[in-house]
Coordinates of all heavy atoms in Angstrom, one line a residue:
M1 N 0.8 -1.2 0.0 CA 0.0 0.0 0.0 C 0.9 1.2 0.0 O 1.9 1.3 0.7 CB -0.9 0.0 1.2 CG -1.8 1.3 1.3 SD -3.0 1.3 2.5 CE -4.2 0.1 1.8
I2 N 0.5 2.2 -0.8 CA 1.2 3.5 -0.9 C 0.3 4.6 -0.2 O -0.9 4.6 -0.4 CB 1.4 3.9 -2.3 CG1 2.2 2.9 -3.1 CG2 2.0 5.3 -2.4 CD1 2.3 3.2 -4.6
K3 N 0.9 5.3 0.7 CA 0.2 6.4 1.3 C 0.9 7.7 0.9 O 2.1 7.9 1.1 CB 0.3 6.3 2.9 CG -0.5 5.2 3.4 CD -0.4 5.1 4.9 CE -1.1 3.9 5.5 NZ -1.1 3.9 6.9
L4 N 0.1 8.6 0.3 CA 0.6 9.9 -0.1 C -0.1 11.0 0.6 O -1.4 10.9 0.7 CB 0.4 10.1 -1.6 CG 1.1 9.1 -2.6 CD1 0.5 9.2 -4.0 CD2 2.6 9.3 -2.6
N5 N 0.6 12.1 1.0 CA -0.2 13.2 1.5 C -0.9 13.8 0.3 O -0.5 13.6 -0.8 CB 0.7 14.2 2.3 CG 1.7 14.9 1.5 OD1 1.4 15.4 0.4 ND2 2.9 15.1 2.0
G6 N -1.9 14.6 0.6 CA -2.7 15.2 -0.4 C -1.9 16.0 -1.4 O -2.2 15.8 -2.6
K7 N -1.0 16.8 -1.0 CA -0.2 17.6 -2.0 C 0.6 16.7 -2.9 O 0.6 17.0 -4.1 CB 0.7 18.6 -1.2 CG 0.0 19.7 -0.5 CD 0.9 20.6 0.2 CE 0.1 21.7 0.9 NZ 1.0 22.6 1.6
D8 N 1.2 15.7 -2.4 CA 2.0 14.8 -3.2 C 1.1 14.0 -4.2 O 1.5 13.8 -5.3 CB 2.8 13.8 -2.3 CG 4.0 14.5 -1.6 OD1 4.4 15.6 -2.0 OD2 4.5 13.9 -0.6
F9 N 0.0 13.6 -3.7 CA -0.9 12.8 -4.6 C -1.4 13.7 -5.7 O -1.3 13.3 -6.9 CB -2.2 12.4 -3.8 CG -3.2 11.8 -4.6 CD1 -3.1 10.5 -5.2 CD2 -4.4 12.5 -4.9 CE1 -4.1 10.0 -6.0 CE2 -5.4 11.9 -5.7 CZ -5.2 10.7 -6.2
L10 N -1.8 14.9 -5.4 CA -2.3 15.8 -6.5 C -1.1 16.2 -7.4 O -1.3 16.3 -8.6 CB -2.9 17.1 -5.9 CG -4.2 16.8 -5.1 CD1 -4.7 18.1 -4.4 CD2 -5.3 16.2 -6.0
A11 N 0.1 16.4 -6.9 CA 1.2 16.7 -7.8 C 1.5 15.5 -8.7 O 1.8 15.7 -9.9 CB 2.5 17.0 -6.9
E12 N 1.4 14.3 -8.2 CA 1.6 13.1 -9.0 C 0.6 13.0 -10.1 O 0.9 12.7 -11.3 CB 1.6 11.8 -8.2 CG 2.8 11.7 -7.3 CD 4.1 11.3 -8.0 OE1 4.0 10.7 -9.1 OE2 5.2 11.6 -7.5
V13 N -0.7 13.2 -9.8 CA -1.7 13.1 -10.8 C -1.6 14.2 -11.8 O -1.6 13.9 -13.0 CB -3.1 13.3 -10.1 CG1 -4.2 13.5 -11.1 CG2 -3.4 12.0 -9.2
E14 N -1.3 15.4 -11.4 CA -1.1 16.5 -12.3 C 0.1 16.3 -13.2 O 0.0 16.5 -14.4 CB -0.9 17.8 -11.5 CG -0.9 19.0 -12.4 CD -1.0 20.3 -11.6 OE1 -1.0 20.3 -10.3 OE2 -0.9 21.4 -12.2
A15 N 1.2 15.7 -12.7 CA 2.3 15.4 -13.5 C 2.0 14.4 -14.6 O 2.4 14.5 -15.8 CB 3.5 15.0 -12.7
E16 N 1.3 13.3 -14.2 CA 0.9 12.3 -15.2 C 0.0 12.9 -16.2 O 0.1 12.5 -17.4 CB 0.2 11.1 -14.4 CG 1.2 10.3 -13.6 CD 2.3 9.6 -14.5 OE1 2.0 9.2 -15.6 OE2 3.4 9.6 -14.0
M17 N -1.0 13.7 -15.8 CA -1.9 14.3 -16.8 C -1.2 15.2 -17.8 O -1.6 15.3 -18.9 CB -3.0 15.0 -16.0 CG -4.0 14.1 -15.4 SD -5.3 15.1 -14.6 CE -6.4 13.8 -14.0
A18 N -0.2 15.9 -17.3 CA 0.5 16.8 -18.2 C 1.2 16.1 -19.3 O 1.6 16.7 -20.3 CB 1.6 17.6 -17.3
G19 N 1.4 14.8 -19.2 CA 2.0 14.0 -20.2 C 1.1 13.7 -21.4 O 1.6 13.3 -22.5
Y20 N -0.2 14.0 -21.2 CA -1.1 13.8 -22.3 C -1.4 15.2 -23.0 O -1.9 16.1 -22.3 CB -2.4 13.2 -21.8 CG -2.3 11.8 -21.4 CD1 -2.2 11.4 -20.1 CD2 -2.4 10.8 -22.4 CE1 -2.1 10.1 -19.7 CE2 -2.4 9.5 -22.0 CZ -2.2 9.1 -20.7 OH -2.1 7.8 -20.3
E21 N -1.2 15.3 -24.2 CA -1.4 16.6 -25.0 C -2.8 17.0 -24.9 O -3.2 18.2 -24.8 CB -1.0 16.4 -26.4 CG -1.0 17.7 -27.2 CD -0.4 17.4 -28.6 OE1 0.7 17.0 -28.7 OE2 -1.2 17.8 -29.6
E22 N -3.8 16.0 -24.9 CA -5.2 16.3 -24.9 C -5.7 16.9 -23.5 O -6.8 17.4 -23.5 CB -6.0 15.1 -25.3 CG -5.8 14.6 -26.7 CD -4.6 13.7 -26.8 OE1 -3.8 13.5 -25.8 OE2 -4.3 13.2 -27.9
L23 N -4.9 16.7 -22.5 CA -5.3 17.1 -21.2 C -4.6 18.5 -20.9 O -3.5 18.5 -20.3 CB -4.9 16.1 -20.1 CG -5.6 14.7 -20.2 CD1 -5.2 13.8 -19.1 CD2 -7.1 14.9 -20.2
G24 N -5.2 19.5 -21.3 CA -4.6 20.9 -21.1 C -4.9 21.3 -19.7 O -5.4 20.6 -18.8
E25 N -4.4 22.5 -19.4 CA -4.6 23.1 -18.1 C -6.0 23.1 -17.6 O -6.2 22.9 -16.4 CB -4.0 24.5 -18.1 CG -2.5 24.5 -18.1 CD -1.9 26.0 -18.1 OE1 -2.5 26.8 -17.3 OE2 -0.9 26.2 -18.8
D26 N -6.9 23.4 -18.5 CA -8.3 23.5 -18.1 C -8.9 22.1 -17.6 O -9.6 22.0 -16.7 CB -9.2 24.0 -19.2 CG -9.0 25.5 -19.4 OD1 -8.5 26.2 -18.5 OD2 -9.4 26.0 -20.5
S27 N -8.5 21.1 -18.4 CA -8.9 19.7 -18.0 C -8.3 19.3 -16.7 O -9.0 18.7 -15.9 CB -8.5 18.7 -19.1 OG -9.1 19.0 -20.3
I28 N -7.0 19.6 -16.5 CA -6.4 19.2 -15.3 C -7.0 20.0 -14.1 O -7.3 19.4 -13.1 CB -4.8 19.5 -15.3 CG1 -4.2 18.6 -16.4 CG2 -4.2 19.4 -14.0 CD1 -2.8 18.9 -16.7
K29 N -7.3 21.3 -14.3 CA -7.9 22.0 -13.2 C -9.3 21.5 -12.9 O -9.7 21.4 -11.7 CB -8.0 23.5 -13.6 CG -8.6 24.4 -12.5 CD -8.7 25.8 -12.9 CE -9.3 26.7 -11.8 NZ -10.2 26.2 -10.9
R30 N -10.0 21.1 -13.9 CA -11.4 20.5 -13.7 C -11.3 19.3 -12.8 O -12.0 19.1 -11.9 CB -12.0 20.2 -15.0 CG -13.4 19.7 -14.8 CD -14.2 19.6 -16.1 NE -15.5 19.1 -15.9 CZ -16.4 18.9 -16.8 NH1 -16.1 19.2 -18.0 NH2 -17.6 18.5 -16.5
W31 N -10.3 18.4 -13.1 CA -10.1 17.2 -12.3 C -9.8 17.5 -10.9 O -10.3 17.0 -10.0 CB -9.1 16.3 -12.9 CG -9.1 14.9 -12.2 CD1 -9.8 13.8 -12.5 CD2 -8.3 14.6 -11.0 NE1 -9.5 12.8 -11.6 CE2 -8.7 13.3 -10.7 CE3 -7.5 15.3 -10.2 CZ2 -8.1 12.6 -9.6 CZ3 -6.9 14.7 -9.1 CH2 -7.3 13.3 -8.8
L32 N -8.8 18.4 -10.7 CA -8.4 18.8 -9.4 C -9.6 19.4 -8.6 O -9.8 19.1 -7.4 CB -7.3 19.8 -9.4 CG -6.0 19.3 -10.0 CD1 -5.0 20.5 -10.2 CD2 -5.4 18.3 -9.1
D33 N -10.4 20.3 -9.2 CA -11.6 20.9 -8.6 C -12.6 19.8 -8.1 O -13.1 19.8 -7.0 CB -12.3 21.9 -9.5 CG -11.5 23.2 -9.7 OD1 -10.5 23.4 -8.9 OD2 -11.8 23.9 -10.6
N34 N -12.8 18.8 -9.0 CA -13.7 17.7 -8.7 C -13.2 16.8 -7.6 O -13.9 16.4 -6.8 CB -14.1 16.9 -10.0 CG -15.1 17.6 -10.8 OD1 -16.3 17.5 -10.5 ND2 -14.7 18.4 -11.8
F35 N -11.9 16.6 -7.6 CA -11.3 15.8 -6.5 C -11.4 16.5 -5.2 O -11.8 15.9 -4.2 CB -9.8 15.5 -6.8 CG -9.1 14.8 -5.7 CD1 -9.3 13.5 -5.5 CD2 -8.4 15.5 -4.7 CE1 -8.7 12.8 -4.4 CE2 -7.8 14.9 -3.6 CZ -7.9 13.5 -3.5
N36 N -11.2 17.8 -5.2 CA -11.3 18.6 -3.9 C -12.8 18.5 -3.4 O -13.0 18.4 -2.2 CB -10.8 20.0 -4.1 CG -9.3 20.0 -4.2 OD1 -8.6 19.2 -3.5 ND2 -8.8 20.9 -5.0
A37 N -13.7 18.6 -4.4 CA -15.1 18.5 -4.0 C -15.5 17.1 -3.4 O -16.2 17.0 -2.5 CB -16.0 18.9 -5.2
Y38 N -14.9 16.1 -4.1 CA -15.1 14.7 -3.6 C -14.6 14.5 -2.2 O -15.3 14.0 -1.4 CB -14.4 13.8 -4.6 CG -14.4 12.3 -4.2 CD1 -15.5 11.6 -4.4 CD2 -13.3 11.8 -3.6 CE1 -15.5 10.2 -4.0 CE2 -13.3 10.4 -3.2 CZ -14.4 9.7 -3.4 OH -14.4 8.4 -3.1
V39 N -13.4 15.0 -2.0 CA -12.8 14.9 -0.6 C -13.7 15.6 0.4 O -13.9 15.1 1.5 CB -11.4 15.4 -0.6 CG1 -10.8 15.5 0.8 CG2 -10.5 14.5 -1.5
G40 N -14.2 16.7 0.0 CA -15.0 17.5 0.9 C -16.3 16.8 1.3 O -16.8 17.0 2.4
K41 N -16.9 16.1 0.4 CA -18.2 15.4 0.8 C -18.1 13.9 1.0 O -19.0 13.3 1.5 CB -19.2 15.7 -0.3 CG -18.9 15.0 -1.7 CD -20.0 15.4 -2.7 CE -19.7 14.6 -4.0 NZ -20.7 15.0 -5.0
K42 N -16.9 13.3 0.7 CA -16.8 11.9 0.9 C -15.7 11.5 1.8 O -14.9 10.6 1.6 CB -16.5 11.2 -0.5 CG -17.5 11.3 -1.5 CD -18.4 10.1 -1.5 CE -19.4 10.2 -2.7 NZ -20.1 9.0 -2.8
S43 N -15.6 12.3 2.9 CA -14.5 12.1 3.8 C -14.4 10.7 4.5 O -13.4 10.3 5.1 CB -14.5 13.2 4.9 OG -15.7 13.1 5.6
K44 N -15.5 9.9 4.3 CA -15.5 8.5 4.9 C -15.0 7.5 3.9 O -15.0 6.3 4.2 CB -16.9 8.2 5.3 CG -17.3 9.0 6.5 CD -18.7 8.7 7.0 CE -19.1 9.6 8.1 NZ -20.4 9.3 8.7
D45 N -14.5 7.9 2.8 CA -13.9 7.0 1.8 C -12.7 6.3 2.4 O -11.9 6.9 3.1 CB -13.4 7.8 0.6 CG -12.9 7.0 -0.6 OD1 -12.2 6.0 -0.4 OD2 -13.4 7.2 -1.7
K46 N -12.7 5.0 2.3 CA -11.6 4.2 2.9 C -10.2 4.5 2.4 O -9.2 4.2 3.0 CB -11.9 2.7 2.8 CG -11.8 2.2 1.3 CD -12.1 0.7 1.2 CE -12.0 0.3 -0.3 NZ -12.0 -1.1 -0.5
R47 N -10.1 5.1 1.3 CA -8.8 5.5 0.7 C -8.4 6.9 1.1 O -7.3 7.3 0.7 CB -8.9 5.3 -0.8 CG -9.1 3.9 -1.2 CD -9.0 3.8 -2.7 NE -9.2 2.5 -3.2 CZ -8.2 1.6 -3.4 NH1 -7.0 1.9 -3.1 NH2 -8.5 0.4 -3.8
I48 N -9.2 7.6 1.8 CA -8.9 8.9 2.2 C -8.9 8.9 3.8 O -9.8 8.4 4.4 CB -10.0 9.9 1.7 CG1 -9.9 10.0 0.2 CG2 -9.7 11.3 2.3 CD1 -11.0 10.8 -0.4
D49 N -7.8 9.5 4.3 CA -7.7 9.6 5.7 C -7.1 11.0 6.1 O -6.7 11.7 5.2 CB -6.7 8.5 6.2 CG -6.8 8.2 7.6 OD1 -7.7 8.7 8.3 OD2 -5.9 7.4 8.1
Y50 N -7.2 11.3 7.3 CA -6.6 12.6 7.7 C -5.7 12.3 8.9 O -6.0 11.5 9.8 CB -7.7 13.5 8.2 CG -8.6 13.9 7.0 CD1 -9.7 13.2 6.7 CD2 -8.3 15.1 6.3 CE1 -10.5 13.6 5.6 CE2 -9.1 15.5 5.2 CZ -10.2 14.7 4.9 OH -10.9 15.1 3.8
K51 N -4.6 13.0 8.9 CA -3.7 13.0 10.1 C -3.7 14.5 10.5 O -3.0 15.3 9.8 CB -2.3 12.5 9.8 CG -2.3 11.0 9.6 CD -1.0 10.5 9.7 CE -1.1 9.0 9.5 NZ 0.1 8.3 9.9
G52 N -4.4 14.8 11.5 CA -4.6 16.2 11.8 C -5.4 16.9 10.7 O -6.5 16.4 10.3
N53 N -4.9 17.9 10.1 CA -5.5 18.6 9.0 C -5.0 18.1 7.7 O -5.4 18.6 6.6 CB -5.3 20.1 9.1 CG -6.1 20.7 10.2 OD1 -7.2 20.2 10.6 ND2 -5.7 21.8 10.8
D54 N -4.0 17.2 7.7 CA -3.4 16.7 6.5 C -4.1 15.6 5.8 O -4.4 14.6 6.5 CB -1.9 16.3 6.7 CG -1.0 17.4 7.2 OD1 -1.3 18.6 6.7 OD2 -0.1 17.2 7.9
L55 N -4.4 15.7 4.6 CA -5.1 14.7 3.8 C -4.1 13.6 3.4 O -3.0 13.9 3.0 CB -5.7 15.3 2.5 CG -6.3 14.3 1.5 CD1 -7.6 13.7 2.0 CD2 -6.5 15.1 0.2
I56 N -4.5 12.3 3.6 CA -3.7 11.2 3.2 C -4.5 10.4 2.2 O -5.7 10.0 2.5 CB -3.3 10.3 4.4 CG1 -2.6 11.1 5.5 CG2 -2.5 9.1 4.0 CD1 -1.3 11.7 5.1
V57 N -3.9 10.0 1.1 CA -4.6 9.2 0.1 C -3.8 7.9 0.1 O -2.6 7.8 -0.1 CB -4.5 9.9 -1.3 CG1 -5.1 8.9 -2.4 CG2 -5.2 11.2 -1.3
K58 N -4.6 6.8 0.2 CA -4.0 5.4 0.2 C -4.4 4.7 -1.1 O -5.5 4.7 -1.5 CB -4.6 4.6 1.4 CG -4.3 5.2 2.7 CD -4.8 4.4 3.8 CE -5.9 5.1 4.5 NZ -6.6 4.4 5.5
L59 N -3.3 4.2 -1.8 CA -3.5 3.4 -3.0 C -2.9 2.1 -2.8 O -1.9 2.0 -2.1 CB -2.8 4.2 -4.1 CG -3.3 5.6 -4.4 CD1 -2.4 6.2 -5.5 CD2 -4.7 5.6 -4.9
D60 N -3.4 1.1 -3.5 CA -2.8 -0.3 -3.4 C -1.4 -0.3 -4.0 O -0.5 -0.9 -3.4 CB -3.7 -1.3 -4.1 CG -5.0 -1.6 -3.3 OD1 -5.0 -1.4 -2.1 OD2 -6.0 -2.0 -3.9
D61 N -1.3 0.4 -5.1 CA 0.1 0.5 -5.7 C 0.0 1.6 -6.7 O -1.0 2.3 -6.9 CB 0.5 -0.8 -6.4 CG -0.5 -1.3 -7.4 OD1 -1.1 -0.5 -8.2 OD2 -0.7 -2.5 -7.5
E62 N 1.1 1.9 -7.4 CA 1.3 3.0 -8.3 C 0.4 2.9 -9.5 O 0.0 3.9 -10.1 CB 2.7 3.2 -8.7 CG 3.0 4.5 -9.3 CD 4.5 4.7 -9.6 OE1 5.1 3.8 -10.3 OE2 5.1 5.6 -9.1
S63 N 0.0 1.7 -9.8 CA -0.8 1.5 -11.0 C -2.2 2.1 -10.8 O -2.8 2.5 -11.8 CB -1.0 0.0 -11.4 OG -1.7 -0.7 -10.4
E64 N -2.7 2.2 -9.6 CA -4.0 2.9 -9.4 C -3.9 4.4 -9.8 O -4.9 4.9 -10.3 CB -4.4 2.7 -7.9 CG -4.9 1.4 -7.6 CD -5.5 1.3 -6.3 OE1 -4.9 1.6 -5.3 OE2 -6.7 0.9 -6.2
L65 N -2.8 5.0 -9.5 CA -2.6 6.4 -9.9 C -2.7 6.5 -11.4 O -3.4 7.4 -12.0 CB -1.3 6.9 -9.4 CG -1.1 8.4 -9.7 CD1 -1.1 9.2 -8.4 CD2 0.3 8.6 -10.3
F66 N -2.0 5.6 -12.1 CA -2.0 5.6 -13.6 C -3.4 5.4 -14.1 O -3.8 5.9 -15.1 CB -1.0 4.6 -14.2 CG 0.4 4.9 -13.7 CD1 1.2 3.8 -13.3 CD2 1.0 6.2 -13.7 CE1 2.5 4.0 -12.9 CE2 2.3 6.4 -13.3 CZ 3.0 5.3 -12.9
N67 N -4.1 4.5 -13.5 CA -5.5 4.2 -13.9 C -6.4 5.4 -13.7 O -7.3 5.6 -14.6 CB -6.1 3.0 -13.1 CG -7.4 2.5 -13.6 OD1 -7.5 2.3 -14.8 ND2 -8.3 2.3 -12.7
I68 N -6.3 6.1 -12.7 CA -7.0 7.4 -12.5 C -6.8 8.3 -13.7 O -7.8 8.8 -14.3 CB -6.7 8.1 -11.2 CG1 -7.1 7.2 -10.0 CG2 -7.2 9.5 -11.1 CD1 -6.6 7.7 -8.6
V69 N -5.6 8.5 -14.0 CA -5.2 9.4 -15.1 C -5.7 8.8 -16.5 O -6.3 9.6 -17.3 CB -3.7 9.7 -15.1 CG1 -3.3 10.5 -16.4 CG2 -3.3 10.4 -13.9
D70 N -5.5 7.6 -16.7 CA -5.9 6.9 -18.0 C -7.4 7.0 -18.2 O -7.9 7.3 -19.3 CB -5.4 5.5 -18.1 CG -3.9 5.4 -18.2 OD1 -3.3 6.4 -18.6 OD2 -3.4 4.3 -18.0
C71 N -8.2 6.8 -17.1 CA -9.6 6.8 -17.2 C -10.1 8.2 -17.5 O -11.0 8.5 -18.2 CB -10.3 6.3 -15.9 SG -10.1 4.5 -15.8
Y72 N -9.4 9.2 -16.9 CA -9.8 10.6 -17.1 C -9.5 11.0 -18.5 O -10.3 11.6 -19.2 CB -9.1 11.5 -16.1 CG -9.5 13.0 -16.2 CD1 -10.8 13.3 -16.0 CD2 -8.6 13.9 -16.6 CE1 -11.2 14.7 -16.1 CE2 -9.0 15.3 -16.7 CZ -10.3 15.6 -16.5 OH -10.7 16.9 -16.6
Y73 N -8.3 10.6 -19.0 CA -7.9 10.8 -20.4 C -9.0 10.3 -21.3 O -9.4 10.9 -22.3 CB -6.5 10.2 -20.6 CG -6.2 10.2 -22.1 CD1 -5.7 11.3 -22.8 CD2 -6.3 9.0 -22.8 CE1 -5.4 11.3 -24.1 CE2 -5.9 9.0 -24.2 CZ -5.5 10.1 -24.8 OH -5.2 10.1 -26.1
A74 N -9.4 9.0 -21.1 CA -10.4 8.4 -22.0 C -11.7 9.2 -21.9 O -12.3 9.4 -23.0 CB -10.6 7.0 -21.5
A75 N -12.1 9.7 -20.8 CA -13.3 10.5 -20.7 C -13.2 11.8 -21.4 O -14.2 12.2 -22.1 CB -13.7 10.7 -19.2
V76 N -12.1 12.4 -21.4 CA -11.9 13.7 -22.1 C -11.9 13.4 -23.6 O -12.6 14.1 -24.4 CB -10.5 14.3 -21.7 CG1 -10.2 15.5 -22.7 CG2 -10.6 14.9 -20.3
V77 N -11.2 12.4 -24.1 CA -11.1 12.1 -25.5 C -12.5 11.7 -26.0 O -12.9 12.0 -27.1 CB -10.1 11.0 -25.8 CG1 -10.2 10.4 -27.2 CG2 -8.7 11.5 -25.5
N78 N -13.3 10.9 -25.2 CA -14.6 10.5 -25.6 C -15.7 11.5 -25.3 O -16.9 11.1 -25.5 CB -14.9 9.1 -25.0 CG -14.0 8.0 -25.5 OD1 -13.7 8.0 -26.7 ND2 -13.5 7.2 -24.6
E79 N -15.3 12.6 -24.8 CA -16.3 13.7 -24.4 C -17.3 13.1 -23.5 O -18.5 13.3 -23.7 CB -16.9 14.3 -25.7 CG -15.8 15.0 -26.5 CD -16.4 15.6 -27.8 OE1 -17.6 15.6 -28.0 OE2 -15.6 16.1 -28.6
D80 N -16.9 12.4 -22.5 CA -17.8 11.8 -21.5 C -17.5 12.2 -20.1 O -17.6 11.4 -19.2 CB -17.7 10.3 -21.7 CG -18.9 9.6 -21.0 OD1 -20.0 10.2 -20.8 OD2 -18.7 8.4 -20.7
L81 N -17.1 13.4 -19.9 CA -16.7 13.9 -18.5 C -17.9 13.9 -17.5 O -17.6 13.6 -16.4 CB -16.1 15.3 -18.6 CG -14.7 15.4 -19.2 CD1 -14.3 16.8 -19.2 CD2 -13.8 14.6 -18.3
E82 N -19.1 14.1 -18.0 CA -20.2 14.1 -17.1 C -20.3 12.8 -16.4 O -20.5 12.7 -15.2 CB -21.5 14.6 -17.8 CG -22.6 14.8 -16.8 CD -23.8 15.5 -17.4 OE1 -23.6 16.4 -18.2 OE2 -24.9 15.1 -17.1
N83 N -20.3 11.7 -17.2 CA -20.4 10.4 -16.6 C -19.2 10.0 -15.8 O -19.3 9.3 -14.8 CB -20.6 9.3 -17.7 CG -22.0 9.4 -18.3 OD1 -23.0 9.7 -17.5 ND2 -22.2 9.2 -19.6
Y84 N -18.0 10.5 -16.2 CA -16.8 10.2 -15.4 C -16.9 10.7 -14.0 O -16.6 10.0 -13.1 CB -15.6 10.8 -16.1 CG -14.3 10.7 -15.3 CD1 -13.5 9.5 -15.4 CD2 -13.9 11.7 -14.5 CE1 -12.4 9.4 -14.6 CE2 -12.7 11.6 -13.8 CZ -12.0 10.4 -13.8 OH -10.8 10.3 -13.1
F85 N -17.3 11.9 -13.9 CA -17.4 12.5 -12.5 C -18.6 12.1 -11.8 O -18.7 12.1 -10.5 CB -17.4 14.0 -12.6 CG -16.0 14.6 -13.0 CD1 -15.9 15.3 -14.1 CD2 -14.9 14.3 -12.2 CE1 -14.6 15.8 -14.5 CE2 -13.7 14.8 -12.5 CZ -13.5 15.6 -13.7
K86 N -19.7 11.6 -12.5 CA -20.9 11.3 -11.8 C -20.7 10.2 -10.8 O -21.2 10.3 -9.7 CB -21.9 10.8 -12.9 CG -23.3 10.5 -12.4 CD -24.2 10.4 -13.5 CE -24.9 9.0 -13.5 NZ -25.8 8.8 -14.6
D87 N -20.0 9.1 -11.1 CA -19.8 8.0 -10.1 C -18.4 7.8 -9.7 O -17.9 6.8 -9.3 CB -20.3 6.7 -10.8 CG -21.8 6.8 -11.1 OD1 -22.5 7.3 -10.2 OD2 -22.2 6.3 -12.1
W88 N -17.6 8.9 -9.8 CA -16.1 8.8 -9.5 C -15.9 8.5 -8.1 O -16.6 9.0 -7.2 CB -15.4 10.1 -9.9 CG -14.0 10.0 -9.9 CD1 -13.2 9.5 -10.9 CD2 -13.1 10.3 -8.8 NE1 -11.9 9.5 -10.5 CE2 -11.8 10.0 -9.2 CE3 -13.3 10.8 -7.5 CZ2 -10.7 10.2 -8.4 CZ3 -12.2 10.9 -6.7 CH2 -10.9 10.6 -7.2
S89 N -14.9 7.7 -7.9 CA -14.4 7.4 -6.5 C -12.9 6.9 -6.7 O -12.5 6.6 -7.8 CB -15.2 6.4 -5.8 OG -15.0 5.1 -6.4
L90 N -12.2 7.0 -5.6 CA -10.8 6.5 -5.6 C -10.7 5.0 -5.8 O -11.5 4.2 -5.4 CB -10.1 6.9 -4.4 CG -9.5 8.3 -4.4 CD1 -8.9 8.6 -3.0 CD2 -8.5 8.5 -5.5

């Protein structure tokens, strides 16, 4: 299991997304905004924890991070962002 603080997790996701030409700054910002909204309302998610005020994201392995980015990329390319965010979870 990998535990990343919130800033590191978001930096990793953003760096991976930046590798896709189709995921411009607006697309990346949209994902980040939706993630922050998710964390705000789904604080009981088993993959999200807090140590004091610090957000901790737990992943089974690094491939889950890549899967998050790949699924988002597919949603952008297929113009299906509404469905992507509708049922999104870690």
